[in-house]
């Protein structure tokens, strides 16, 4: 019987780990054949002990040698693969960063380099932080500018319609000087089209200190746009926001001095990129900052819009479709 086992061990061969492991357990496991035979050895009559013992030892040796050989074969195979550096890797595809995140990171880096810190706030907001504290009391007509998704009413719980809510939260918690950037998702109950979506991303900026002026705001934005777009100039057009006074819309003229610049293809070349203004004293009062001592500016931009300008994309819906053909085009960035 041991001879049969010996033959089986001799002819065993497999490259599969599982099968080899089963083989090992079958012979050398705790309840394996070898242990079983050693137990039986005790009951063998004395005159047969010598022969039986030798056979068991031969079998044990054969099993050990076989396992050793199989192990060597396996590692030889692996080391051949390891050494071949020209061999293509597994076909594991590397993902790409989403263009929204790429551009958000870039914008954050630019403002970090001039001392802005990153802040955030909740996407589900209350009326105070999204509207009232921003100088939009109940029945203020400006509330209609932003179609709101309400979660609950009286008291209102809603999806924030802009990142300006983070201004309020930050100023409630921190004393000036304040210099923050707040990127995040915002939500508006708007019809979805190539130009607008019910979810998009904004980046809010806020700077509060002594003697902050409109000129500081313009300088900062000029610095920002030339960092992001390269050679460019900006203009500020008068506008209206309840929480800033005066308020302005920022246009960038991009591709200056270059008639062949493919990025400017239509219109006058002026492209609107954000809203901004000096923080309204009423807002400062709402967060217990003394408007006689402090002043500041705020700005807010839509990230999708900027990505679309930078990369010539024509449809905002693409950002949420996760079409790999679109995403892969950002691989090298
Ligand atoms: N919150 C404004 C919007 O969503 C943008 C803005 C931010 C304007 C800060 C002025 C100052 O349209």
């Amino acid at each position: 019987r041991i001879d049969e086992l010996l033959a089986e061990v001799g002819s065993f061969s497999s490259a599969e780990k599982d099968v080899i492991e089963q083989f090992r357990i079958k012979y050398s496991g705790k309840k394996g054949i070898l242990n079983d035979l050693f137990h039986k050895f005790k009951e063998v009559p004395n005159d047969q002990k010598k022969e039986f013992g030798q056979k068991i030892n031969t079998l044990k040796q054969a099993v050990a040698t076989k396992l050793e050989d199989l192990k060597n074969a396996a590692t030889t195979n692996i080391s051949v693969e390891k050494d071949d550096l020209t061999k293509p890797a597994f076909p594991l595809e590397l993902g790409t960063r989403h263009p929204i995140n790429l551009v958000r990171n870039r914008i954050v880096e630019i403002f970090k380099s001039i001392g802005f810190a990153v802040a955030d706030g909740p996407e589900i907001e209350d009326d105070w932080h999204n509207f009232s504290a921003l100088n939009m009391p109940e029945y203020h007509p400006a509330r209609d500018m932003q179609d709101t998704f309400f979660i609950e009413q009286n008291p209102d719980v809603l999806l924030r319609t802009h990142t300006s809510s983070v201004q309020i939260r930050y100023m409630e918690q921190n004393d000036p000087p304040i210099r923050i950037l707040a990127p995040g998702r915002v939500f508006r109950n708007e019809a979805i089209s190539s130009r607008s979506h019910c979810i998009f991303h904004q980046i809010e900026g806020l700077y509060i200190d002594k003697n902050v002026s409109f000129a500081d705001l313009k300088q900062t934005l000029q610095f920002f746009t030339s960092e992001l777009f390269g050679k460019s100039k900006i203009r500020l057009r008068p506008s209206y926001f309840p929480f800033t006074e005066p308020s302005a819309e920022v246009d960038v003229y991009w591709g200056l001095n270059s008639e062949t610049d493919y990025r400017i293809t239509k219109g006058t070349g002026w492209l609107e990129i954000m809203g901004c203004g000096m923080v309204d004293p009423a807002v400062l009062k709402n967060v217990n900052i003394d408007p006689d001592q402090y002043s500041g500016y705020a700005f807010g931009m839509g990230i999708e819009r900027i990505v679309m300008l930078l990369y010539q994309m024509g449809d905002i819906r693409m950002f949420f479709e996760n079409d790999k053909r679109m995403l892969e085009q950002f691989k090298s960035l």
Side-chain angles (χ1 to χ4, degrees), residues 230-241:
K231 205 169 179 187
S232 58
K233 62 182 180 182
I234 58 168
R235 75 178 177 195
L236 300 177
R237 266 182 301 113
S239 185
Y240 172 76
F241 298 102

Side-chain angles (χ1 to χ4, degrees), residues 134 136 145-146 161-165 167 186 188 200 202-205 240-241 243-244 247-249 274-279 297-301:
L134 286 160
M136 279 188 266
M145 281 161 55
Q146 303 184 341
T161 59
H162 52 184
T163 43
S164 299
S165 54
Q167 286 186 37
V186 300
R188 290 189 198 175
F200 59 102
Q202 284 189 332
I203 296 194
E204 191 86 4
Y240 172 76
F241 298 102
F243 33 92
T244 48
S247 304
E249 217 81 56
M274 70 172 100
C276 67
M278 302 306 291
V279 178
Y297 60 71
F299 54 84
M301 64 189 113

Side-chain angles (χ1 to χ4, degrees), residues 72-292:
N72 287 341
T75 44
T76 326
N77 286 340
I78 287 168
S79 69
V80 165
E81 274 176 48
K82 250 189 196 161
D83 291 342
D84 183 6
L85 298 178
T86 63
K87 210 174 173 223
F90 292 137
L92 289 177
E93 284 186 63
L94 210 53
T96 53
R97 284 196 201 283
H98 195 281
I100 298 284
N101 289 343
L102 285 168
V103 171
R104 183 203 55 205
N105 292 349
R106 176 82 191 105
I107 295 172
V108 167
E109 284 312 312
I110 294 171
F111 281 100
K112 266 192 181 167
S113 77
I114 51 170
F116 282 76
V118 174
D120 68 5
E123 293 178 343
I124 297 174
E125 263 301 1
D126 51 36
D127 176 276
W128 171 254
H129 294 95
N130 196 79
F131 293 124
S132 298
L134 286 160
N135 212 20
M136 279 188 266
E138 219 183 333
Y139 306 121
H140 191 291
R143 287 193 180 204
D144 296 341
M145 281 161 55
Q146 303 184 341
D147 306 293
T148 309
F149 283 117
F150 288 96
I151 293 172
E152 281 167 24
Q153 284 187 300
N154 300 317
D156 290 351
V157 179
L158 45 91
L159 296 180
R160 67 178 177 194
T161 59
H162 52 184
T163 43
S164 299
S165 54
V166 186
Q167 286 186 37
I168 301 301
R169 289 194 175 268
Y170 198 86
M171 289 190 288
E172 282 175 341
Q173 301 290 327
N174 299 274
D175 294 325
I178 287 168
R179 207 189 268 132
I180 54 152
L181 211 59
R185 286 200 298 184
V186 300
F187 308 85
R188 290 189 198 175
N189 192 359
E190 276 176 16
I192 296 172
S193 72
S194 65
R195 296 267 125 205
S196 65
H197 209 291
C198 56
I199 306 179
F200 59 102
H201 298 74
Q202 284 189 332
I203 296 194
E204 191 86 4
L206 174 71
Y207 177 36
I208 308 285
D209 205 342
K210 290 186 170 143
N211 303 316
V212 179
S213 72
F214 201 85
D216 295 329
L217 169 60
K218 188 170 180 188
Q219 280 299 316
T220 304
L221 295 180
Q222 176 67 72
F223 168 77
F224 162 66
T225 49
S226 46
E227 287 291 301
L228 187 66
F229 295 100
K231 205 169 179 187
S232 58
K233 62 182 180 182
I234 58 168
R235 75 178 177 195
L236 300 177
R237 266 182 301 113
S239 185
Y240 172 76
F241 298 102
F243 33 92
T244 48
E245 181 59 34
S247 304
E249 217 81 56
V250 182
D251 296 342
V252 61
Y253 193 98
W254 176 31
L256 215 59
N257 299 334
S258 166
E259 278 166 23
T260 54
D261 197 318
Y262 63 90
R263 291 172 297 189
I264 299 296
T265 50
K266 51 181 180 272
T268 59
W270 287 104
L271 299 161
E272 184 186 314
I273 55 161
M274 70 172 100
C276 67
M278 302 306 291
V279 178
D280 194 300
V283 174
L284 295 178
K285 275 188 203 145
N286 285 338
V287 293
N288 291 320
I289 293 178
D290 181 1
D292 293 330

